[in-house]
Amino acid sequence: MVRPLSLGELPPSYTPPARSSAPHILAGRLQAPLWLRAYFQGLLFSLGCKIQKHCGKVLFLGLVAFGALALGLRVAVIETDLEQLWVEVGSRVSQELHYTKEKLGEEAAYTSQMLIQTAHQEGGNVLTPEALDLHLQAALSASKVQVSLYGKSWDLNKICYKSGVPLIENGMIERMIEKLFPCVILTPLDCFWEGAKLQGGSAYLPGRPDIQWTNLDPQQLLEELGPFASLEGFRELLDKAQVGQAYVGRPCLDPDDPHCPPSAPNRHSRQAPNVAQELSGGCHGFSHKFMHWQEELLLGGTARDLQGQLLRAEALQSTFLLMSPRQLYEHFRGDYQTHDIGWSEEQASMVLQAWQRRFVQLAQEALPANASQQIHAFSSTTLDDILRAFSEVSTTRVVGGYLLMLAYACVTMLRWDCAQSQGAVGLAGVLLVALAVASGLGLCALLGITFNAATTQVLPFLALGIGVDDIFLLAHAFTKAPPDTPLPERMGECLRSTGTSVALTSVNNMVAFFMAALVPIPALRAFSLQAAIVVGCNFAAVMLIFPAILSLDLRRRHRQRLDVLCCFSSPCSAQVIQMLPQELGDRAVPVGIAHLTATVQAFTHCEASSQHVVTILPPQAHLLSPTSDPLGSELYSPGGSTRDLLSQEEGTGPKAACRPLLCAHWTLAHFARYQFAPLLLQTRAKALVLLFFGALLGLSLYGATLVQDGLALTDVVPRGTKEHAFLSAQLRYFSLYEVALVTQGGFDYAHSQRALFDLHQRFSSLKAVLPPPATQAPRTWLHYYRSWLQGIQAAFDQDWASGRITRHSYRNGSEDGALAYKLLIQTGNAQEPLDFSQLTTRKLVDKEGLIPPELFYMGLTVWVSSDPLGLAASQANFYPPPPEWLHDKYDTTGENLRIPAAQPLEFAQFPFLLHGLQKTADFVEAIEGARAACTEAGQAGVHAYPSGSPFLFWEQYLGLRRCFLLAVCILLVCTFLVCALFLLSPWTAGLIVLVLAMMTVELFGIMGFLGIKLSAIPVVILVASVGIGVEFTVHVALGFLTSHGSRNLRAASALEQTFAPVTDGAVSTLLGLLMLAGSNFDFIIRYFFVVLTVLTLLGLLHGLLLLPVLLSVLGPPPQVVQVYKESPQTLSSTAPQRGGLRWDMPPTLPQSFARVTTSMTVALHPPPLPGAYVHPASEEPT
């Protein structure tokens, strides 16, 4: 313990502050940092005095300003787009997504609607005709959906995605194909004739029944139409696509169906097909070459025998593809069906959303309740609806939470003594915090920060709990003002004593949330920025407006009005009738104290005439040292009601109701003083506390190893809903993800073909990539393009060998031969574009399987125009798109010989399927492999990147833990600097940071035991936990620094001062979080309510148990001591022994303090510091 300064040691240049409310000086030579704190406290004192003087004006202007900001909520925008919410800002994924949208306008070419069928009985087999018949029933109900919007009827055939509709010169055939061309539906029913029932198109030809896919045999139809139209090109197109007989050549699930075509293999045998055998290897759409649905897309939970033959499956899946809003808008723009409705892309989006909702509803209702199978339906609109519901503000929970907080604040701050009661202040404080939260969110809306689910579901409650903490602290300090403080300076003294704590906690909270904004996920960055702004608004409201409320309440107390019902006077207003001065004599005065509570003999009774409490003091009263105080009176100044020292006179008649209740004496401060602190600061108790927290830290370190990364949609969607059932089934049986390998511009595709093939090969070899069947070529545009060129080269060679094509004529050759002829003579030279000598000297594809560079872009133009089905199957999405060029075999002008070259490509893609991705580690492994392949390709000059949902939403986990550790470390350093600056004690700041670091580690470990996965959301809470933890630690630390005596005494004094406001703040935070427990989303409960509740409890334990113990053992020396000017003996008296809780008895008291005035409480004030301002006696009640 540092020895108190004697007056002779004060520096000659020392100039005391103009006003000092506490007789304290530095424990050592005065330092500039403490002068800064004194200066800051002086500013707070001036601020409080001015607010109290103009409290009405401040309150009015503050409410107007905050109310105006709250109006900004009218322009708030709630973001529900997953890409906008979860793609890291500024990351390579964000840049790649921007590049994709810049080139294509929108990434998705279609939207998916899915049906998953499983057996009610766990593990039941679905590979039976009966199960497939139920699947057909559900899919058929869904495919027949029609919705009416804008006066039009919209069915599947109008809005579905159709892959590669060919352009036919024959108008009649073109119109028929447009009506008949099938929608892309990936379904196990396509292995059977019944798959045709899902296609709703139909066409009419004279003399024939309506042509539908259930009765259409393309080969037979072409033979019938051959005499009437030239269909050679169309026939070659169908042959290349391997359409064959389409659906009528496939087996019927029910061979007894009267519509089962005669061409079906089992039509005559009447035998049910072997479903497992038919579905083995997958199914085909109407084109065997370009529409192969892999088995993994259709069947889930499969089992095979030792030879690899499919035996059973537990799930079936059908996927309906719809056009994107942009495609639907473009498709019907200028069409006669939409010319009268002002057709727009927004209307197209509304049509798709309405159809999708109806699709899900009818599919789920398709099967009877007693069916052995169950259908799970889902669409992209379903997900949007979930996110929208997830982001909506629950008015009931918000109102309920704030009403609960109002009730708690009012009840907690009510007192039996009207002069001490602050129930109305509690109500006003909670309402003020609510207004501050609304104004903060309104300011965020005005700044353009979008809202999301975290903003609407969590922030109102979290901000309420945090904001009310400071309300309790200020209100508690206001009632504990020194008794001699003049009435006009009460608010100034309150801000002087507690403003530093409020500023420190608020600044730390803001810094914490700003640090959390380092997490580069837009949704969490927006949440963190909004939380920081709301905390700032709370801070402004607490420091500016709430003091005005306290000042108004002080006037109410001064006028002896009832609390809450301030229009009525108190029936038991206290009035002291007689004050008798008493001699203290030679009683010893404790060293180092500002106040001494003396117990006197007194009698009270209720006067019937005035209903006043009359106190009578006997002529002699003796100063007694209170024996019931377990820590000694030197720790405490009188803070409770003066009635606490009175005993009631028995038999006071009918007015006995004026007697205070025994329960009115018990407060949290009373508990901390008489029970908690004496128990906690015992040596054995300290050891147990340190042992407990050491064990908790050890367990948490183990729990930290259990934390897994990840956040699945099943964690977000409410459990027990149909949507959750679908997502669970999909995750279990069909964990497939469509991705693409995008190649950019900046390199020459024509000269980089080998590098492109190598890139595709490396990507295909990744563990997560689903390989194509051995019998099928890779499904990429470069392979399809090369294969098509090889096909027309073969046709040319045959025509050349047979003489149907010569150097000067190709008209007798085949369509493919003529196309090859035109390509072979191209030179790529604008001056001499044609060279007929090349017909026999070059090939469209060389021996190495590469396309001649000079032919690459001209051949691309021809392929895109001549092979629409192959182009659609490749999903190339070329940009810039190659020019349209129509082959005219019979052109006589020679113009058709000139083929325009496509522009150099800036965007193309190879499609892939990823499978087996169940855990976040699987996604991370796949992402790292894909990135490595692209990096290796970059060394060969090919610029490429992977694209798809795994890369959009899971790539964040590659650096999430590093980002988390960086944010926490930066925040701990910032917290240390802020605390060291405000507390002016790096020693104390280090202890606070140590406790905060332990809290973060323990919270992380408890997450592991609770099975909560690490994602961006828990990371934000973990980072914010550092700032929130300051709420529970800094008040105790500041109380310890500004107390005097031994470490134990100072720790006990800090506990008595802060136990009540810290506990009230924790309870208020828990009440604010309690309403989160009523959320419909399990995600909100687990990831917000549970985590934040654990954080609050950890903060309470560390702030009121661990930190006081650490301070009592390792705490820094006091920054202030008590000295007396008049008594050298007092100044030189021995300081209390370290760790002791006892009185120090000087032999005499200074003469000027030998006689004092005593009522219920005797206040002994030592003389002020040299030159300090002495408060004049105030005639107003205090």
Side-chain angles (χ1 to χ4, degrees):
M1 179 68 67
V2 179
R3 181 180 62 83
L5 281 173
S6 65
L7 294 178
E9 294 175 359
L10 290 173
S13 60
Y14 169 66
T15 303
R19 186 178 294 269
S20 177
S21 63
H24 296 143
I25 65 170
L26 301 179
R29 293 189 177 274
L30 290 173
Q31 301 293 327
L34 285 183
W35 178 87
L36 289 175
R37 183 198 287 171
Y39 179 76
F40 181 65
Q41 289 178 330
L43 294 178
L44 292 174
F45 177 83
S46 300
L47 176 65
C49 292
K50 291 180 180 178
I51 291 176
Q52 182 174 344
K53 182 178 180 181
H54 306 285
C55 56
K57 299 176 184 177
V58 171
L59 181 61
F60 175 76
L61 294 176
L63 293 180
V64 169
F66 277 77
L69 287 177
L71 294 177
L73 288 173
R74 301 180 61 181
V75 298
V77 176
I78 298 180
E79 182 63 73
T80 58
D81 185 354
L82 280 178
E83 291 181 3
Q84 297 297 324
L85 289 173
W86 292 104
V87 176
E88 296 183 23
V89 177
S91 66
R92 59 185 177 186
V93 174
S94 176
Q95 297 170 2
E96 292 160 359
L97 185 61
H98 175 74
Y99 184 85
T100 300
K101 291 187 175 182
E102 179 185 3
K103 301 304 178 184
L104 298 186
E106 59 180 60
E107 185 179 17
Y110 49 78
T111 59
S112 300
Q113 284 53 241
M114 290 162 283
L115 299 179
I116 293 179
Q117 177 179 319
T118 59
H120 277 295
Q121 183 179 359
E122 180 73 18
N125 183 27
V126 296
L127 297 186
T128 63
E130 294 76 18
L132 277 173
D133 186 63
L134 290 174
H135 194 74
L136 172 64
Q137 182 178 338
L140 197 57
S141 298
S143 68
K144 301 302 181 185
V145 168
Q146 288 190 353
V147 294
S148 295
L149 276 180
Y150 312 113
K152 311 294 179 182
S153 179
W154 306 89
D155 58 16
L156 177 63
N157 197 49
K158 286 184 178 180
I159 66 175
C160 70
Y161 176 74
K162 297 182 179 182
S163 175
V165 181
L167 297 176
I168 306 298
E169 294 182 4
N170 188 296
M172 179 187 69
I173 299 299
E174 183 179 12
R175 287 191 296 272
M176 184 179 68
I177 290 177
E178 183 180 356
K179 293 180 178 180
L180 274 177
F181 204 83
C183 299
V184 179
I185 303 175
L186 289 68
T187 174
L189 296 170
D190 272 352
C191 282
F192 308 94
W193 166 77
E194 280 77 4
K197 294 183 177 181
L198 302 182
Q199 303 294 344
S202 64
Y204 171 74
L205 286 178
R208 290 180 56 93
D210 284 349
I211 300 175
Q212 297 178 343
W213 283 103
T214 54
N215 60 17
L216 173 62
D217 184 343
Q219 294 177 346
Q220 181 182 354
L221 179 64
L222 289 179
E223 292 176 1
E224 294 178 1
L225 295 178
F228 307 101
S230 176
L231 299 174
E232 182 181 353
F234 185 51
R235 181 180 288 107
E236 288 188 6
L237 179 66
L238 295 182
D239 290 341
K240 289 180 183 179
Q242 301 175 11
V243 174
Q245 292 183 298
Y247 290 97
V248 296
R250 303 176 188 182
C252 297
L253 278 173
D254 181 11
D256 295 325
D257 188 330
H259 297 98
C260 181
S263 55
N266 62 340
R267 176 68 173 87
H268 300 291
S269 65
R270 304 285 181 173
Q271 291 183 355
N274 186 330
V275 174
Q277 182 179 348
E278 295 293 338
L279 289 174
S280 181
C283 301
H284 296 86
F286 79 96
S287 168
H288 278 251
K289 181 178 181 179
F290 298 120
M291 295 183 176
H292 177 249
W293 321 137
Q294 291 181 252
E295 181 183 306
E296 291 81 1
L297 291 170
L298 310 177
L299 305 179
T302 57
R304 301 179 182 275
D305 61 16
L306 297 178
Q307 287 73 35
Q309 297 297 319
L310 181 65
L311 296 178
R312 61 195 313 275
E314 298 180 10
L316 300 171
Q317 177 174 255
S318 290
T319 305
F320 294 72
L321 302 186
L322 304 183
M323 285 187 279
S324 66
R326 172 69 61 84
Q327 288 178 324
L328 185 60
Y329 166 69
E330 294 290 346
H331 181 73
F332 282 100
R333 186 175 62 172
D335 190 271
Y336 73 94
Q337 301 179 66
T338 58
H339 75 281
D340 59 338
I341 61 174
W343 184 241
S344 65
E345 189 172 343
E346 182 180 358
Q347 289 176 322
S349 178
M350 296 297 294
V351 168
L352 289 172
Q353 291 177 13
W355 194 94
Q356 290 171 343
R357 293 188 182 99
R358 186 64 176 163
F359 168 90
V360 172
Q361 178 185 358
L362 290 184
Q364 292 172 343
E365 297 173 354
L367 300 187
N370 59 352
S372 61
Q373 306 285 314
Q374 55 184 344
I375 290 291
H376 311 289
F378 198 79
S379 71
S380 56
T381 299
T382 306
L383 180 59
D384 293 338
D385 291 341
I386 290 173
L387 292 175
R388 192 172 295 108
F390 189 46
S391 304
E392 289 179 353
V393 179
S394 175
T395 306
T396 302
R397 286 193 295 114
V398 171
V399 172
Y402 280 73
L403 287 177
L404 186 62
M405 187 68 74
L406 283 169
Y408 174 77
C410 182
V411 171
T412 302
M413 302 177 72
L414 279 174
R415 296 290 185 273
W416 294 102
D417 186 351
C418 295
Q420 299 289 326
S421 183
Q422 294 179 301
V425 169
L427 294 174
V430 173
L431 293 175
L432 178 62
V433 170
L435 178 62
V437 172
S439 63
L441 293 177
L443 178 59
C444 294
L446 293 174
L447 293 175
I449 304 176
T450 58
F451 288 23
N452 55 66
T455 306
T456 58
Q457 297 283 336
V458 178
L459 191 54
F461 306 104
L462 178 61
L464 174 65
I466 294 176
V468 173
D469 293 354
D470 293 332
I471 295 294
F472 282 120
L473 183 66
L474 277 180
H476 183 269
F478 193 66
T479 62
K480 302 299 181 182
D484 60 343
T485 305
L487 191 66
E489 299 177 1
R490 283 290 185 91
M491 198 62 247
E493 287 298 333
C494 178
L495 287 185
R496 186 206 295 269
S497 62
T498 60
T500 302
S501 294
V502 174
L504 182 56
T505 56
S506 299
V507 169
N508 266 287
N509 276 329
M510 287 188 286
V511 171
F513 283 116
F514 279 126
M515 287 297 104
L518 291 175
V519 178
I521 308 300
L524 282 309
R525 175 167 290 180
F527 172 79
S528 302
L529 292 176
Q530 288 161 344
I533 292 174
V534 168
V535 169
C537 289
N538 273 337
F539 175 56
V542 169
M543 293 295 287
L544 298 176
I545 303 179
F546 189 65
I549 296 175
L550 288 174
S551 301
L552 290 176
D553 186 67
L554 180 63
R555 298 183 181 181
R556 188 269 309 168
R557 292 160 57 189
H558 175 54
R559 293 184 174 91
Q560 300 296 331
R561 300 283 185 175
L562 284 176
D563 191 14
V564 182
L565 304 175
C566 55
C567 295
F568 300 95
S569 298
S570 170
C572 293
S573 55
Q575 179 179 344
V576 178
I577 304 300
Q578 184 176 2
M579 308 285 282
L580 296 180
Q582 302 298 328
E583 287 282 348
L584 286 178
D586 294 332
R587 302 291 294 175
V589 178
V591 171
I593 64 171
H595 303 90
L596 172 64
T597 300
T599 303
V600 300
Q601 298 293 326
F603 302 94
T604 65
H605 69 273
C606 293
E607 195 176 62
S609 59
S610 62
Q611 296 187 358
H612 288 160
V613 176
V614 179
T615 303
I616 302 173
L617 298 178
Q620 290 185 352
H622 301 282
L623 179 64
L624 302 175
S625 173
T627 59
S628 61
D629 190 343
L631 293 175
S633 298
E634 62 172 310
L635 294 177
Y636 309 104
S637 60
S641 171
T642 53
R643 299 180 194 173
D644 294 348
L645 298 175
L646 302 179
S647 60
Q648 295 294 327
E649 181 183 5
E650 296 293 338
T652 55
K655 295 297 181 180
C658 291
R659 293 184 300 177
L661 299 176
L662 293 178
C663 63
H665 300 295
W666 193 92
T667 62
L668 288 174
H670 182 278
F671 170 76
R673 170 178 177 171
Y674 290 101
Q675 282 86 33
F676 184 74
L679 178 63
L680 179 66
L681 298 178
Q682 293 179 7
T683 303
R684 183 177 300 177
K686 294 180 185 178
L688 290 176
V689 167
L690 295 176
L691 182 63
F692 169 76
F693 281 97
L696 180 60
L697 181 61
L699 284 174
S700 300
L701 290 173
Y702 170 71
T705 64
L706 305 178
V707 178
Q708 299 180 353
D709 294 346
L711 178 64
L713 272 178
T714 49
D715 296 328
V716 178
V717 178
R719 296 182 183 273
T721 62
K722 295 179 180 179
E723 292 79 9
H724 188 275
F726 171 87
L727 293 172
S728 299
Q730 185 187 48
L731 182 64
R732 178 177 179 182
Y733 297 117
F734 299 102
S735 186
L736 292 169
Y737 297 87
E738 293 184 2
V739 299
L741 183 59
V742 174
T743 51
Q744 303 172 262
F747 71 97
D748 188 357
Y749 281 69
H751 289 85
S752 304
Q753 296 175 60
R754 177 56 60 195
L756 288 171
F757 282 122
D758 291 343
L759 172 60
H760 176 268
Q761 181 60 37
R762 281 193 298 270
F763 206 93
S764 301
S765 63
L766 296 178
K767 174 184 174 182
V769 173
L770 181 65
T775 58
Q776 183 179 350
R779 190 167 55 96
T780 70
W781 68 268
L782 194 54
H783 289 86
Y784 281 142
Y785 177 27
R786 182 177 66 177
S787 176
W788 179 81
L789 288 176
Q790 290 171 334
I792 64 172
Q793 178 71 62
F796 172 83
D797 292 341
Q798 291 179 2
D799 291 341
W800 183 272
S802 64
R804 290 192 296 271
I805 293 181
T806 64
R807 179 186 178 92
H808 304 291
S809 176
Y810 56 83
R811 292 184 178 86
N812 294 327
S814 63
E815 293 284 337
D816 285 351
L819 283 173
Y821 178 95
K822 294 180 179 181
L823 280 173
L824 287 170
I825 63 176
Q826 305 296 319
T827 64
N829 188 339
Q831 301 297 328
E832 298 181 2
L834 305 178
D835 184 357
F836 293 93
S837 65
Q838 297 178 154
L839 286 171
T840 57
T841 60
R842 72 189 307 182
K843 296 291 184 181
L844 296 179
V845 179
D846 63 21
K847 295 180 180 180
E848 296 181 358
L850 302 180
I851 303 166
E854 64 273 13
L855 284 178
F856 186 86
Y857 286 108
M858 287 180 287
L860 193 64
T861 297
V862 178
W863 175 61
V864 168
S865 301
S866 305
D867 189 17
L869 289 176
L871 176 65
S874 72
Q875 301 179 33
N877 284 335
F878 292 130
Y879 182 86
E884 290 187 3
W885 178 82
L886 291 179
H887 166 57
D888 185 359
K889 183 178 177 181
Y890 302 100
D891 175 61
T892 58
T893 64
E895 288 298 323
N896 200 237
L897 291 177
R898 299 176 182 270
I899 302 174
Q903 298 182 45
L905 294 177
E906 298 178 17
F907 186 98
Q909 61 184 24
F910 299 151
F912 292 94
L913 279 175
L914 302 185
H915 71 126
L917 304 181
Q918 296 286 338
K919 300 179 180 179
T920 301
D922 301 329
F923 287 93
V924 171
E925 181 182 358
I927 292 170
E928 290 176 341
R931 291 294 182 184
C934 293
T935 301
E936 190 173 348
Q939 298 173 356
V942 175
H943 305 154
Y945 61 86
S947 176
S949 58
F951 304 97
L952 290 179
F953 306 122
W954 275 272
E955 183 148 339
Q956 59 178 287
Y957 295 103
L958 294 180
L960 183 63
R961 297 204 176 209
R962 177 187 56 80
C963 182
F964 162 56
L965 290 176
L966 177 64
V968 169
C969 291
I970 293 176
L971 181 54
L972 288 175
V973 172
C974 291
T975 301
F976 174 81
L977 295 177
V978 171
C979 290
L981 177 65
F982 276 84
L983 298 178
L984 309 173
S985 172
W987 188 339
T988 306
L991 290 178
I992 291 176
V993 168
L994 173 64
V995 172
L996 295 177
M998 290 180 62
M999 285 177 54
T1000 304
V1001 172
E1002 290 162 7
L1003 179 61
F1004 190 69
I1006 292 174
M1007 282 172 48
F1009 287 117
L1010 294 176
I1012 296 176
K1013 298 178 182 178
L1014 184 67
S1015 64
I1017 292 175
V1019 163
V1020 166
I1021 297 178
L1022 286 165
V1023 173
S1025 68
V1026 178
I1028 296 174
V1030 173
E1031 295 274 355
F1032 301 98
T1033 55
V1034 73
H1035 304 311
V1036 177
L1038 186 59
F1040 180 83
L1041 284 175
T1042 55
S1043 299
H1044 46 82
S1046 67
R1047 285 194 177 107
N1048 275 356
L1049 293 177
R1050 291 156 59 208
S1053 176
L1055 278 174
E1056 190 214 7
Q1057 297 171 29
T1058 61
F1059 189 88
V1062 169
T1063 303
D1064 285 336
V1067 174
S1068 67
T1069 302
L1070 290 175
L1071 288 177
L1073 298 174
L1074 183 62
M1075 301 312 295
L1076 296 178
S1079 174
N1080 296 326
F1081 293 90
D1082 183 65
F1083 170 78
I1084 292 290
I1085 298 174
R1086 284 172 53 80
Y1087 282 81
F1088 284 101
F1089 171 71
V1090 172
V1091 175
L1092 289 172
T1093 298
V1094 171
L1095 169 61
T1096 304
L1097 295 177
L1098 286 175
L1100 193 63
L1101 291 175
H1102 286 74
L1104 297 182
L1105 286 178
L1106 179 61
L1107 184 59
V1109 169
L1110 289 178
L1111 290 172
S1112 70
V1113 177
L1114 303 173
Q1119 293 181 341
V1120 294
V1121 298
Q1122 188 74 51
V1123 296
Y1124 296 121
K1125 177 178 179 181
E1126 286 82 2
S1127 178
Q1129 293 177 340
T1130 302
L1131 288 170
S1132 61
S1133 60
T1134 305
Q1137 295 180 0
R1138 184 181 300 270
L1141 299 174
R1142 66 180 184 82
W1143 290 82
D1144 213 359
M1145 306 293 290
T1148 61
L1149 183 73
Q1151 183 63 31
S1152 60
F1153 283 81
R1155 187 178 298 275
V1156 298
T1157 299
T1158 177
S1159 58
M1160 282 64 71
T1161 301
V1162 179
L1164 297 180
H1165 296 279
L1169 292 176
Y1173 176 82
V1174 179
H1175 296 302
S1178 175
E1179 296 180 358
E1180 295 179 282
T1182 61

